[in-house]
């Protein structure tokens, strides 16, 4: 079955960087629609970055564009999210998600389009 395991979260000061990893198994990693989402306490989950692993198409939310980079390593079946210039408002639980059948209505950051989710990794940014 599909498994997604996130790692790499932690606590950093504002302006710092982190790299999140999502180790994937149970499907063809190099031909999937994948995304990173986050949920802060008291807020709805929001999509921050997405990537089609079969062609490199990517999308970012306005709030992270230019600071976050999504990438993949097919040899390791791993999706990454490099987060630079972190801000306190980036504090959240970060989740990796995957879809085998495409993005819902072609919207990469729409969470309803993802059938498989990891357990999440916490990112805390202090000012």
């Amino acid at each position: 079955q599909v498994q997604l395991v996130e790692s790499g979260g932690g606590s950093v000061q504002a302006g710092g960087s982190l790299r999140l990893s999502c180790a994937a198994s149970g499907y063809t990693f190099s031909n999937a629609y994948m995304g990173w989402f986050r949920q802060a306490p008291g807020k709805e989950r929001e999509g921050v970055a997405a990537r089609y692993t079969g062609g490199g198409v990517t999308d970012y939310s306005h709030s992270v564009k230019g600071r976050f980079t999504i990438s993949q390593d097919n040899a390791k079946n791993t999706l990454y999210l490099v987060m630079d210039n972190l801000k306190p408002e980036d504090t959240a639980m970060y989740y990796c998600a995957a879809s085998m059948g495409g993005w819902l209505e072609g919207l990469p950051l729409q969470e309803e389009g993802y059938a498989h989710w990891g357990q999440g990794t916490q990112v805390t940014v202090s000012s």
Side-chain angles (χ1 to χ4, degrees), residues 50-59 72:
R51 183 177 180 90
Y52 170 53
T53 60
V57 174
T58 59
D59 194 21
Q72 67 192 77

Side-chain angles (χ1 to χ4, degrees), residues 11-104:
S11 297
V12 295
Q13 289 191 326
S17 299
L18 283 174
R19 186 181 77 164
L20 305 184
S21 299
C22 172
S25 61
Y27 66 100
T28 303
F29 176 79
S30 59
N31 185 25
Y33 299 80
M34 299 193 69
W36 285 99
F37 292 76
R38 68 185 181 187
Q39 187 168 23
K43 295 188 176 181
E44 293 187 353
R45 189 158 56 186
E46 63 168 337
V48 295
R51 183 177 180 90
Y52 170 53
T53 60
V57 174
T58 59
D59 194 21
Y60 297 92
S61 68
H62 178 75
S63 61
V64 307
K65 199 167 189 176
R67 300 189 297 121
F68 290 13
T69 304
I70 188 170
S71 63
Q72 67 192 77
D73 185 334
N74 289 349
K76 296 182 178 180
N77 281 3
T78 299
L79 186 76
Y80 299 103
L81 184 69
V82 174
M83 306 184 294
D84 295 319
N85 190 21
L86 283 161
K87 303 176 181 181
E89 51 263 42
D90 294 319
T91 294
M93 184 71 79
Y94 283 72
Y95 300 91
C96 174
S99 168
M100 310 308 130
W103 288 313
L104 182 66

